């Protein structure tokens, strides 16, 4: 029996955390078991945690979210502590050695630690000032804020046998959501290992919505920041699920079993081509997080028309690739964003090929003197279209080659499925050639390194024209017309269909 007090308590507890668990009730037990198994097997940190040298951080936030107290106890004395953002020096206050309560001086944005090292650190952070400097808060209600750890988290570099445990102590009325790896079963507690770090990492505090939902192969933890206006949380969750499910259409499951999503509503802005999804990116900081900025005025139906979320989720099919081979990560994500939206019936087959053809034309006109590697070196801003579309052309070439020589048994989908089995999620950075060699090792005859040798350093644009013509993608007056009699017409249509 449940009495009124218990119900009131439950309601209060729910109000404090405002967590909604949407799960398939029939399969709850099996799902829970699967999640537990994934947590144990996918996290080598759990196995080594007992032997690891541990630095412990306790972080206290006051009810008004105006200040934060940080106390760190180091497993061994540390010689240097840094924050990722150079702005962090503007928010830190009262830095002390808590062993003897002496003050630690700051000079040129650096902490002057004792020569014998430091075992205990205490400082406060002007959270209000840090939140005001964070552009992500522009349209959010003052009951919830995002402040990147880059702006307040002073920490030592970690070696492989070291970890940091971060525990947040918050008033009942506040929740926290950080884009770090949670410690299973421990509330508001995270474990950081020697892995990729991001200056865009998120720590959210306040009364936002935190929703966990299952899709094939993954639990999505969705943090929905609350804007000043009303937003329809349930419909935003439906949209996030639908776009993440687009990636499931590649090989039947989502590539990362524990993925974070952060939704930041913005007012008075639209993305390129008047898109209601303004901008998105992947944050890799011990976990993988997709952060999406949306027009809070919606309507949410417009979110479905944007390719941005599908593009960002597609990035998770590959590990983090270093910027000198950026055409690989952007190219494969751009290829898949079009393929997957066609498979999800958001694009017709014709529209998907139209998008690809138009993109190849933009890529061809962008910095023709540069090779894909040269464009990556010139960087986003210098050669954006060359980076994105030369990589997309090479993705298409690889996919067609794989399908052609295996009679459709193999494809980019099946190779990426094997990559996920062996190597994802990966919390380190990869060079592009390491990735291409790994992909080649997963198939009988290499496809990827031969394409690399042919195109990566070649100025101009990869030769997709003859390939498009063999696929039956004809273009008249800028309009794609699909030819069913073309030699590779079967491959063309199978690319855009779910396996
Ligand atoms: Zn991208």
């Amino acid at each position: 029996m449940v009495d009124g007090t218990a119900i009131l308590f439950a309601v209060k507890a729910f109000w404090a955390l405002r967590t909604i668990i949407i799960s398939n009730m029939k399969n709850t037990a099996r799902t829970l078991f699967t999640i537990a198994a994934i947590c144990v097997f996918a996290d080598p940190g759990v196995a080594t945690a007992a032997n690891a040298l541990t630095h412990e951080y306790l972080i206290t936030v006051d009810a008004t979210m105006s200040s934060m107290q940080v106390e760190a106890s180091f497993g061994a004395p540390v010689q240097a502590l840094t924050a990722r953002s150079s702005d962090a020096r503007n928010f830190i206050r009262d830095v002390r050695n808590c062993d003897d309560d002496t003050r630690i001086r700051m000079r040129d944005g650096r902490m002057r630690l004792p020569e014998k090292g430091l075992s205990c650190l205490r400082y406060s952070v002007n959270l209000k000032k840090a939140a005001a400097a964070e552009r992500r808060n522009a349209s959010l209600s003052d009951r919830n804020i995002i402040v990147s750890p880059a702006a307040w988290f002073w920490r030592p570099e970690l070696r492989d046998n070291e970890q940091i445990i971060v525990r947040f102590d918050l008033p009942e009325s506040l929740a926290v959501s950080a884009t770090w790896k949670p410690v299973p079963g421990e509330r508001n507690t995270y474990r950081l290992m020697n892995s990729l770090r991001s200056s865009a990492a998120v720590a959210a505090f306040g009364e936002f919505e935190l929703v966990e939902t299952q899709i094939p192969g993954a639990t999505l933890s969705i943090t929905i920041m609350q804007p000043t206006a009303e937003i329809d949380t349930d419909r935003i969750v439906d949209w996030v699920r639908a776009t993440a499910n687009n990636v499931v259409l590649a090989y039947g499951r989502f590539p990362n079993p524990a993925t974070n999503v952060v939704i930041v509503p913005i007012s008075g802005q639209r993305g390129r081509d008047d898109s209601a999804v303004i901008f998105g990116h992947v944050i890799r900081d011990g976990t993988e997080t997709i952060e999406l900025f949306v027009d809070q005025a919606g309507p949410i139906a417009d979110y479905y028309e944007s390719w941005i979320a599908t593009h960002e989720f597609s990035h998770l099919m590959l590990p983090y690739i270093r910027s000198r081979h950026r055409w690989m990560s952007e190219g494969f994500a751009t290829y898949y964003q079009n393929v997957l939206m066609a498979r999800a019936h958001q694009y017709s087959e014709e529209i998907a090929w139209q998008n690809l053809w138009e993109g190849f034309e933009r890529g061809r006109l962008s910095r023709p003197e540069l090779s894909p590697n040269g464009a990556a070196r010139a960087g986003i801003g210098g050669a954006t279209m060359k980076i994105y579309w030369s990589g997309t052309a090479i993705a298409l070439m690889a996919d067609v080659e794989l399908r052609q020589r295996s009679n459709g048994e193999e494809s980019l989908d099946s190779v990426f499925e094997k990559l996920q089995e062996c190597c994802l999620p990966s919390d380190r950075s990869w060079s592009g050639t390491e990735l291409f060699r790994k992909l080649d090792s997963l198939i009988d005859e290499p496809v990827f390194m031969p394409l690399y040798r042919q195109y990566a350093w070649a100025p101009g644009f990869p030769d997709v024209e003859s390939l498009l013509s063999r696929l039956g993608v004809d273009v008249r007056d800028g309009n794609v017309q699909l030819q069913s009699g073309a030699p590779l017409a079967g491959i063309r249509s199978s690319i855009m269909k779910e396996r």
Side-chain angles (χ1 to χ4, degrees), residues 280-282 307-308 311-312 315 326 329-331 333-334 337 380 388:
H281 63 160
V282 182
W307 49 261
I308 290 177
H311 174 96
E312 301 309 334
H315 271 301
R326 192 164 186 171
S329 43
E330 294 306 346
T334 304
Q337 117 210 352
I380 295 289
Y388 279 66

Side-chain angles (χ1 to χ4, degrees), residues 5 39 59 68 106 183 242 244 282 330 389 444 479 493:
T5 319
C39 290
I59 293 166
M68 172 193 264
M106 305 283 296
V183 175
V282 182
E330 294 306 346
W389 290 100
D444 294 339
N479 294 314
S493 66

Side-chain angles (χ1 to χ4, degrees), residues 277-289:
V277 182
I278 299 158
F279 170 71
H281 63 160
V282 182
I283 299 168
R284 287 171 156 118
D285 199 319
T287 55
E288 290 181 321
T289 300

Side-chain angles (χ1 to χ4, degrees), residues 456-472:
W457 287 110
F461 197 78
D463 174 28
V464 274
E465 251 169 54
S466 60
L467 178 61
L468 287 174
S469 150
R470 279 183 292 139
L471 287 165

